[in-house]
């Protein structure tokens, strides 16, 4: 044992004093603010489709393809980012990721060809956002909390929706009044503004400050840096892929991504605009989804600590599928009560699937659960990327999005059935790669 670890162990008995808030909650707060700041880039793609189509004459399918590259990389980078956090620490990985997002978003201002949109927004922002994916929240939760993990996962997941609530109205106003370029610059500045908070306030592990994880009965030494991050991520994938629950979790989460990020977040604004609704009104409805998403996700974390996560997932997907089947009948030039009901109902269910999915990954795969969840999240984003592209293609071919809404509702019904057949008996944890 090193001298640093010995000192931390000796400090552990005195780290928890009556009346003091545990440091884990401050780390969670910094993580929450970081995800909010990074959420600006999640709010912009749906607002860009019509302006880029008008400015450059690119088809909606071409623009959606760039968005799909972004979404796919967001997911495929996540498991490697989780492994890199084990190797280099959370602070360094997240700070670099935010910088890459800022560079990619800023460069879009000078683009003149579709391939540049693919490179800047698809590749750079996709890689940066993937390193800021939900695996970041899962890693922080796993390291800093033993109790209240479901609740904290729900709160951190809701941070993205909170950021959407903050940025969507502002960005939509900028796009409508001042062109899309100021909105892209705003995204870049928002990402850069969070970097100092991450570097100065975030800590990689409770042992760095001589603390136990929140709720832990014993001090947990900080593990040694794990080399071979990419190899470890791939090794964990191969081992997890030999188990049935992994494919069921990946399949359900792919449908989750298809029916949220890929569909609603990317195509709701242009679909509503097709029916005569102003862009700012449609973007405001998405922001309202963010309000109720916060409530629904935090509540889902609370439920996950108390109820069977498989049943929760089945209920969430079934309700989401039903709501999507009704959406084509609700789109209109103005906002009316049935549409508001859809927004509230759908918002409560937006990412409520995350806490039970994280809990099932933790139950099945133990210490490697953050990396396994990274791969499950990759499937989420692959599903989102596929629907983002197919949605734009369907709009070009059929002249409307109706077919996409109905197909997504049917997929959600399939996800509900898949969640119910995930086996209850915990699998043996996938051993960490050497």
């Amino acid at each position: 044992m090193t001298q640093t670890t010995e000192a931390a162990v000796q400090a552990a008995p005195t780290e928890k004093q009556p009346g003091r808030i545990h440091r884990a909650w401050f780390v969670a707060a910094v993580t929450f603010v970081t995800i909010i700041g990074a959420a600006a880039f999640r709010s912009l793609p749906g607002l860009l489709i019509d302006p880029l189509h008008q400015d450059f004459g690119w088809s909606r399918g071409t623009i959606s393809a760039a968005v799909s590259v972004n979404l796919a990389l967001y997911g495929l980078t996540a498991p490697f980012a989780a492994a890199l956090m084990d190797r280099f620490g959370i602070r360094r990985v997240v700070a670099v990721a935010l910088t890459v997002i800022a560079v990619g978003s800023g460069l879009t201002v000078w683009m003149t060809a579709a391939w540049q949109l693919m490179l800047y927004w698809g590749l750079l922002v996709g890689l940066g956002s993937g390193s800021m994916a939900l695996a970041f929240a899962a890693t922080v939760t796993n390291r800093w909390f033993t109790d209240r993990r479901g609740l904290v996962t729900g709160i951190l997941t809701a941070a993205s929706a909170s950021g959407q609530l903050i940025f969507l109205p502002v960005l939509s106003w900028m796009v409508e009044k001042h062109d899309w370029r100021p909105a892209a610059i705003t995204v870049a500045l928002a990402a850069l503004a969070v970097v100092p908070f991450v570097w100065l306030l975030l800590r990689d592990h409770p042992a760095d400050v001589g603390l136990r994880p929140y709720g832990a009965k014993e001090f947990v030494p900080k593990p040694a840096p794990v080399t071979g991050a990419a190899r470890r991520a791939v090794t964990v994938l191969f081992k997890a892929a030999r188990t049935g629950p992994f494919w069921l979790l990946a399949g359900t989460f792919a449908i989750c991504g298809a029916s949220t990020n890929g569909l609603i977040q990317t195509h709701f604004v242009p679909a509503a605009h097709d029916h005569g609704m102003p862009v700012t009104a449609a973007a405001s409805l998405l922001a309202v989804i963010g309000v109720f998403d916060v409530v629904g996700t935090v509540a889902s974390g609370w439920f996950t600590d108390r109820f069977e996560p498989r049943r929760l997932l089945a209920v969430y997907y079934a309700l989401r599928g039903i709501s999507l089947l009704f959406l084509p009948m609700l789109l209109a030039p103005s906002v009316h009560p049935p549409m508001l009901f859809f927004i509230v109902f759908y918002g409560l269910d937006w990412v409520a699937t995350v806490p039970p999915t994280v809990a099932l990954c933790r139950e099945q795969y133990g210490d490697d659960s953050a990396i396994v969840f990274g791969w499950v999240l990759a499937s989420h984003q692959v599903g989102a990327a596929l629907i983002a592209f197919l949605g734009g293609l369907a709009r070009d071919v059929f002249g409307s999005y109706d077919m996409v809404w109905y197909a997504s509702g049917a997929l959600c019904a399939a996800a509900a059935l898949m969640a119910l057949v995930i086996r209850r008996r915990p699998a043996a944890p996938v051993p960490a790669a050497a």
Side-chain angles (χ1 to χ4, degrees), residues 45-124:
L47 304 176
L48 291 180
I49 292 177
D50 284 339
L52 292 178
H53 174 68
Q54 294 169 5
D55 275 13
F56 299 104
W58 302 335
S59 71
R60 291 177 176 84
T62 298
I63 300 166
S64 297
V67 176
S68 71
V69 170
N70 175 291
L71 292 171
L73 286 175
Y74 176 90
L76 293 172
T77 305
F80 296 98
L84 285 172
M85 288 177 189
D86 287 342
R87 174 66 179 88
F88 297 106
I90 299 173
R91 272 197 314 173
R92 293 178 181 176
V93 173
V94 173
V96 171
L98 288 167
T99 304
V100 171
I101 291 169
V103 171
S105 182
L107 287 174
T108 59
V109 173
W110 292 282
M111 68 183 177
T112 56
W115 68 265
Q116 293 170 327
L117 179 64
M118 296 279 188
L119 175 63
Y120 302 151
W121 194 262
L123 180 64
L124 292 180

Side-chain angles (χ1 to χ4, degrees), residues 33 76 262 276 279 302 305:
V33 172
L76 293 172
V279 170
W302 188 86
D305 286 332

